[in-house]
Amino acid sequence: METYKEFLDRINSFEKSEIDLGKDYFKGNPSIALKVNEDNSFRPFYGDTVVFNLDDATKQKLKRIVDRITAVAPECFCESLVSNTFHMTLHDLSNSPVLEDVASELFHNELKALKIAENITEQKIKMKSKYIFNMVNTSLVMGLYPADEEEYTKLMNLYYLFDDVKKLGYPLTPHITLGYYNVKGFSAESARKLENIVKELNANEKEIEIELDTKELFYQKFISMNDYINIFCVVGKK
């Protein structure tokens, strides 16, 4: 496991106050097309995940930020995310644009996650927002980080429990997805508009303090990036 300092050093290396989308026409990550149709509506995309649901006040703050961004550069994004779906992913699990390819895995993942949930107790983790940044040319996200080393340890202990469901080949980068990019990309002029509003928001928005609660930690399944189903809460499995 990374130390808290190593974790901060890693996210600080790419979570900056300004984003750089290049000087030419911006063509997003090809993986966007797995989730988004040519008309920029969300296409069927199936999988499961473990996420922290956010409180309503935080969701409203995020919606206000998203509204400001999309008012300036709506052409940069596909279909808007429903604000009620805003969440922080604790652990990615499985996904596929073809349900048949992942159905068996989802069944077994759920059973494993149920077993893990038996050992999770109620606790809260204090997080803080960092910067809005470009996530691998796929989406615009808000970065988060644990408030101190103790909070980091609590978060990572939870994270590693779900490695027993599916171990991932990349480290945890806590974030909240604000929007996926236009599947067809966008012009250099639009990129400048998006860069400028992100720079402004990162400079002027107050840090958001978020308290993650395991009573709001859910094993979910999804059928698109706008359609998530709570299967059970890991505390009490409600």
mmCIF file of all heavy atoms in Angstrom, residues 55-82:
data_model
loop_
_atom_site.group_PDB
_atom_site.id
_atom_site.type_symbol
_atom_site.label_atom_id
_atom_site.label_comp_id
_atom_site.label_asym_id
_atom_site.label_seq_id
_atom_site.Cartn_x
_atom_site.Cartn_y
_atom_site.Cartn_z
ATOM 1 N N ASP A 55 -24.093 12.955 0.275
ATOM 2 C CA ASP A 55 -25.232 13.635 0.874
ATOM 3 C C ASP A 55 -25.816 14.649 -0.111
ATOM 4 O O ASP A 55 -25.163 15.099 -1.052
ATOM 5 C CB ASP A 55 -24.823 14.316 2.185
ATOM 6 C CG ASP A 55 -23.792 15.404 1.967
ATOM 7 O OD1 ASP A 55 -24.169 16.550 1.691
ATOM 8 O OD2 ASP A 55 -22.586 15.086 2.056
ATOM 9 N N ASP A 56 -27.063 15.030 0.113
ATOM 10 C CA ASP A 56 -27.781 15.903 -0.824
ATOM 11 C C ASP A 56 -27.118 17.268 -0.973
ATOM 12 O O ASP A 56 -27.093 17.833 -2.077
ATOM 13 C CB ASP A 56 -29.230 16.079 -0.372
ATOM 14 C CG ASP A 56 -30.060 14.816 -0.554
ATOM 15 O OD1 ASP A 56 -29.628 13.942 -1.334
ATOM 16 O OD2 ASP A 56 -31.122 14.689 0.089
ATOM 17 N N ALA A 57 -26.576 17.800 0.119
ATOM 18 C CA ALA A 57 -25.942 19.125 0.046
ATOM 19 C C ALA A 57 -24.725 19.087 -0.872
ATOM 20 O O ALA A 57 -24.511 20.005 -1.678
ATOM 21 C CB ALA A 57 -25.542 19.601 1.442
ATOM 22 N N THR A 58 -23.936 18.025 -0.783
ATOM 23 C CA THR A 58 -22.770 17.882 -1.660
ATOM 24 C C THR A 58 -23.208 17.736 -3.108
ATOM 25 O O THR A 58 -22.621 18.346 -4.015
ATOM 26 C CB THR A 58 -21.924 16.675 -1.234
ATOM 27 O OG1 THR A 58 -21.431 16.891 0.092
ATOM 28 C CG2 THR A 58 -20.750 16.468 -2.178
ATOM 29 N N LYS A 59 -24.247 16.959 -3.348
ATOM 30 C CA LYS A 59 -24.751 16.785 -4.710
ATOM 31 C C LYS A 59 -25.213 18.121 -5.300
ATOM 32 O O LYS A 59 -25.004 18.379 -6.494
ATOM 33 C CB LYS A 59 -25.889 15.765 -4.734
ATOM 34 C CG LYS A 59 -25.435 14.342 -4.489
ATOM 35 C CD LYS A 59 -26.618 13.378 -4.486
ATOM 36 C CE LYS A 59 -26.171 11.943 -4.248
ATOM 37 N NZ LYS A 59 -27.313 11.003 -4.198
ATOM 38 N N GLN A 60 -25.816 18.953 -4.486
ATOM 39 C CA GLN A 60 -26.270 20.259 -4.966
ATOM 40 C C GLN A 60 -25.083 21.156 -5.310
ATOM 41 O O GLN A 60 -25.107 21.901 -6.301
ATOM 42 C CB GLN A 60 -27.171 20.923 -3.931
ATOM 43 C CG GLN A 60 -28.566 20.333 -3.864
ATOM 44 C CD GLN A 60 -29.290 20.389 -5.203
ATOM 45 O OE1 GLN A 60 -29.361 21.438 -5.852
ATOM 46 N NE2 GLN A 60 -29.811 19.242 -5.639
ATOM 47 N N LYS A 61 -24.033 21.114 -4.489
ATOM 48 C CA LYS A 61 -22.832 21.892 -4.793
ATOM 49 C C LYS A 61 -22.216 21.438 -6.108
ATOM 50 O O LYS A 61 -21.801 22.258 -6.929
ATOM 51 C CB LYS A 61 -21.800 21.739 -3.654
ATOM 52 C CG LYS A 61 -22.193 22.418 -2.356
ATOM 53 C CD LYS A 61 -21.159 22.133 -1.270
ATOM 54 C CE LYS A 61 -21.589 22.713 0.069
ATOM 55 N NZ LYS A 61 -20.629 22.358 1.151
ATOM 56 N N LEU A 62 -22.163 20.131 -6.306
ATOM 57 C CA LEU A 62 -21.595 19.585 -7.536
ATOM 58 C C LEU A 62 -22.448 19.953 -8.746
ATOM 59 O O LEU A 62 -21.921 20.289 -9.813
ATOM 60 C CB LEU A 62 -21.464 18.073 -7.422
ATOM 61 C CG LEU A 62 -20.478 17.564 -6.372
ATOM 62 C CD1 LEU A 62 -20.660 16.066 -6.154
ATOM 63 C CD2 LEU A 62 -19.043 17.873 -6.771
ATOM 64 N N LYS A 63 -23.765 19.904 -8.585
ATOM 65 C CA LYS A 63 -24.660 20.263 -9.692
ATOM 66 C C LYS A 63 -24.453 21.714 -10.095
ATOM 67 O O LYS A 63 -24.457 22.056 -11.291
ATOM 68 C CB LYS A 63 -26.120 20.026 -9.304
ATOM 69 C CG LYS A 63 -27.100 20.321 -10.448
ATOM 70 C CD LYS A 63 -28.531 20.052 -10.043
ATOM 71 C CE LYS A 63 -29.462 20.238 -11.234
ATOM 72 N NZ LYS A 63 -29.373 21.588 -11.838
ATOM 73 N N ARG A 64 -24.265 22.586 -9.110
ATOM 74 C CA ARG A 64 -24.036 24.004 -9.415
ATOM 75 C C ARG A 64 -22.746 24.173 -10.219
ATOM 76 O O ARG A 64 -22.692 24.965 -11.167
ATOM 77 C CB ARG A 64 -23.962 24.807 -8.109
ATOM 78 C CG ARG A 64 -23.704 26.289 -8.296
ATOM 79 C CD ARG A 64 -23.768 27.028 -6.967
ATOM 80 N NE ARG A 64 -22.850 26.474 -5.994
ATOM 81 C CZ ARG A 64 -21.549 26.741 -5.968
ATOM 82 N NH1 ARG A 64 -21.005 27.533 -6.883
ATOM 83 N NH2 ARG A 64 -20.780 26.216 -5.036
ATOM 84 N N ILE A 65 -21.715 23.431 -9.838
ATOM 85 C CA ILE A 65 -20.444 23.499 -10.566
ATOM 86 C C ILE A 65 -20.617 22.978 -11.996
ATOM 87 O O ILE A 65 -20.148 23.601 -12.958
ATOM 88 C CB ILE A 65 -19.363 22.704 -9.813
ATOM 89 C CG1 ILE A 65 -18.980 23.433 -8.523
ATOM 90 C CG2 ILE A 65 -18.135 22.475 -10.685
ATOM 91 C CD1 ILE A 65 -18.105 22.635 -7.585
ATOM 92 N N VAL A 66 -21.293 21.838 -12.131
ATOM 93 C CA VAL A 66 -21.519 21.268 -13.459
ATOM 94 C C VAL A 66 -22.334 22.224 -14.324
ATOM 95 O O VAL A 66 -22.043 22.409 -15.516
ATOM 96 C CB VAL A 66 -22.217 19.900 -13.353
ATOM 97 C CG1 VAL A 66 -22.672 19.413 -14.726
ATOM 98 C CG2 VAL A 66 -21.294 18.872 -12.722
ATOM 99 N N ASP A 67 -23.334 22.843 -13.750
ATOM 100 C CA ASP A 67 -24.168 23.782 -14.503
ATOM 101 C C ASP A 67 -23.345 24.954 -15.030
ATOM 102 O O ASP A 67 -23.567 25.424 -16.154
ATOM 103 C CB ASP A 67 -25.313 24.307 -13.637
ATOM 104 C CG ASP A 67 -26.403 23.262 -13.404
ATOM 105 O OD1 ASP A 67 -26.395 22.231 -14.107
ATOM 106 O OD2 ASP A 67 -27.255 23.481 -12.524
ATOM 107 N N ARG A 68 -22.401 25.427 -14.229
ATOM 108 C CA ARG A 68 -21.542 26.523 -14.681
ATOM 109 C C ARG A 68 -20.653 26.087 -15.843
ATOM 110 O O ARG A 68 -20.449 26.832 -16.800
ATOM 111 C CB ARG A 68 -20.679 27.038 -13.529
ATOM 112 C CG ARG A 68 -21.452 27.843 -12.485
ATOM 113 C CD ARG A 68 -20.509 28.567 -11.547
ATOM 114 N NE ARG A 68 -19.656 29.524 -12.251
ATOM 115 C CZ ARG A 68 -18.635 30.170 -11.696
ATOM 116 N NH1 ARG A 68 -18.334 29.933 -10.424
ATOM 117 N NH2 ARG A 68 -17.917 31.010 -12.389
ATOM 118 N N ILE A 69 -20.136 24.877 -15.755
ATOM 119 C CA ILE A 69 -19.257 24.372 -16.813
ATOM 120 C C ILE A 69 -20.032 24.169 -18.108
ATOM 121 O O ILE A 69 -19.600 24.593 -19.185
ATOM 122 C CB ILE A 69 -18.594 23.053 -16.370
ATOM 123 C CG1 ILE A 69 -17.634 23.311 -15.197
ATOM 124 C CG2 ILE A 69 -17.836 22.412 -17.534
ATOM 125 C CD1 ILE A 69 -17.133 22.055 -14.519
ATOM 126 N N THR A 70 -21.185 23.523 -18.016
ATOM 127 C CA THR A 70 -21.950 23.213 -19.226
ATOM 128 C C THR A 70 -22.617 24.453 -19.818
ATOM 129 O O THR A 70 -22.932 24.473 -21.010
ATOM 130 C CB THR A 70 -23.005 22.129 -18.949
ATOM 131 O OG1 THR A 70 -23.828 22.519 -17.844
ATOM 132 C CG2 THR A 70 -22.328 20.805 -18.625
ATOM 133 N N ALA A 71 -22.800 25.486 -19.008
ATOM 134 C CA ALA A 71 -23.317 26.742 -19.565
ATOM 135 C C ALA A 71 -22.287 27.392 -20.477
ATOM 136 O O ALA A 71 -22.637 28.069 -21.449
ATOM 137 C CB ALA A 71 -23.710 27.696 -18.437
ATOM 138 N N VAL A 72 -21.013 27.181 -20.176
ATOM 139 C CA VAL A 72 -19.924 27.787 -20.952
ATOM 140 C C VAL A 72 -19.546 26.928 -22.153
ATOM 141 O O VAL A 72 -19.297 27.443 -23.246
ATOM 142 C CB VAL A 72 -18.689 27.998 -20.042
ATOM 143 C CG1 VAL A 72 -17.462 28.396 -20.865
ATOM 144 C CG2 VAL A 72 -18.982 29.046 -18.984
ATOM 145 N N ALA A 73 -19.495 25.610 -21.956
ATOM 146 C CA ALA A 73 -18.996 24.730 -23.023
ATOM 147 C C ALA A 73 -19.826 23.457 -23.126
ATOM 148 O O ALA A 73 -19.315 22.345 -22.952
ATOM 149 C CB ALA A 73 -17.530 24.386 -22.775
ATOM 150 N N PRO A 74 -21.120 23.576 -23.431
ATOM 151 C CA PRO A 74 -21.972 22.377 -23.486
ATOM 152 C C PRO A 74 -21.562 21.392 -24.562
ATOM 153 O O PRO A 74 -21.764 20.174 -24.429
ATOM 154 C CB PRO A 74 -23.363 22.953 -23.766
ATOM 155 C CG PRO A 74 -23.106 24.263 -24.444
ATOM 156 C CD PRO A 74 -21.865 24.798 -23.789
ATOM 157 N N GLU A 75 -20.947 21.898 -25.637
ATOM 158 C CA GLU A 75 -20.577 21.047 -26.760
ATOM 159 C C GLU A 75 -19.441 20.082 -26.433
ATOM 160 O O GLU A 75 -19.147 19.170 -27.211
ATOM 161 C CB GLU A 75 -20.188 21.903 -27.969
ATOM 162 C CG GLU A 75 -18.880 22.670 -27.813
ATOM 163 C CD GLU A 75 -19.001 24.016 -27.090
ATOM 164 O OE1 GLU A 75 -20.034 24.238 -26.420
ATOM 165 O OE2 GLU A 75 -18.073 24.832 -27.207
ATOM 166 N N CYS A 76 -18.808 20.280 -25.292
ATOM 167 C CA CYS A 76 -17.681 19.421 -24.910
ATOM 168 C C CYS A 76 -18.120 18.102 -24.288
ATOM 169 O O CYS A 76 -17.287 17.212 -24.089
ATOM 170 C CB CYS A 76 -16.764 20.157 -23.936
ATOM 171 S SG CYS A 76 -15.929 21.588 -24.641
ATOM 172 N N PHE A 77 -19.420 17.974 -24.001
ATOM 173 C CA PHE A 77 -19.883 16.835 -23.219
ATOM 174 C C PHE A 77 -20.986 16.054 -23.918
ATOM 175 O O PHE A 77 -21.690 16.574 -24.784
ATOM 176 C CB PHE A 77 -20.385 17.308 -21.852
ATOM 177 C CG PHE A 77 -19.325 17.995 -21.047
ATOM 178 C CD1 PHE A 77 -19.188 19.379 -21.088
ATOM 179 C CD2 PHE A 77 -18.436 17.270 -20.277
ATOM 180 C CE1 PHE A 77 -18.186 20.022 -20.370
ATOM 181 C CE2 PHE A 77 -17.433 17.895 -19.553
ATOM 182 C CZ PHE A 77 -17.303 19.275 -19.596
ATOM 183 N N CYS A 78 -21.125 14.820 -23.495
ATOM 184 C CA CYS A 78 -22.242 14.004 -23.954
ATOM 185 C C CYS A 78 -23.438 14.282 -23.039
ATOM 186 O O CYS A 78 -23.471 15.290 -22.334
ATOM 187 C CB CYS A 78 -21.851 12.527 -23.944
ATOM 188 S SG CYS A 78 -21.691 11.800 -22.294
ATOM 189 N N GLU A 79 -24.403 13.404 -23.048
ATOM 190 C CA GLU A 79 -25.574 13.514 -22.171
ATOM 191 C C GLU A 79 -25.145 13.803 -20.729
ATOM 192 O O GLU A 79 -24.203 13.201 -20.223
ATOM 193 C CB GLU A 79 -26.359 12.204 -22.226
ATOM 194 C CG GLU A 79 -27.557 12.129 -21.314
ATOM 195 C CD GLU A 79 -28.246 10.766 -21.369
ATOM 196 O OE1 GLU A 79 -27.873 9.944 -22.221
ATOM 197 O OE2 GLU A 79 -29.147 10.541 -20.537
ATOM 198 N N SER A 80 -25.853 14.711 -20.088
ATOM 199 C CA SER A 80 -25.492 15.085 -18.719
ATOM 200 C C SER A 80 -25.772 13.951 -17.743
ATOM 201 O O SER A 80 -26.745 13.193 -17.890
ATOM 202 C CB SER A 80 -26.284 16.321 -18.279
ATOM 203 O OG SER A 80 -25.960 17.436 -19.066
ATOM 204 N N LEU A 81 -24.920 13.844 -16.737
ATOM 205 C CA LEU A 81 -25.168 12.905 -15.652
ATOM 206 C C LEU A 81 -26.271 13.442 -14.751
ATOM 207 O O LEU A 81 -26.290 14.633 -14.425
ATOM 208 C CB LEU A 81 -23.894 12.695 -14.832
ATOM 209 C CG LEU A 81 -22.745 11.968 -15.530
ATOM 210 C CD1 LEU A 81 -21.479 12.045 -14.682
ATOM 211 C CD2 LEU A 81 -23.112 10.523 -15.815
ATOM 212 N N VAL A 82 -27.180 12.587 -14.342
ATOM 213 C CA VAL A 82 -28.209 12.972 -13.383
ATOM 214 C C VAL A 82 -27.527 13.220 -12.048
ATOM 215 O O VAL A 82 -26.749 12.378 -11.574
ATOM 216 C CB VAL A 82 -29.270 11.864 -13.260
ATOM 217 C CG1 VAL A 82 -30.313 12.241 -12.207
ATOM 218 C CG2 VAL A 82 -29.932 11.604 -14.607
#
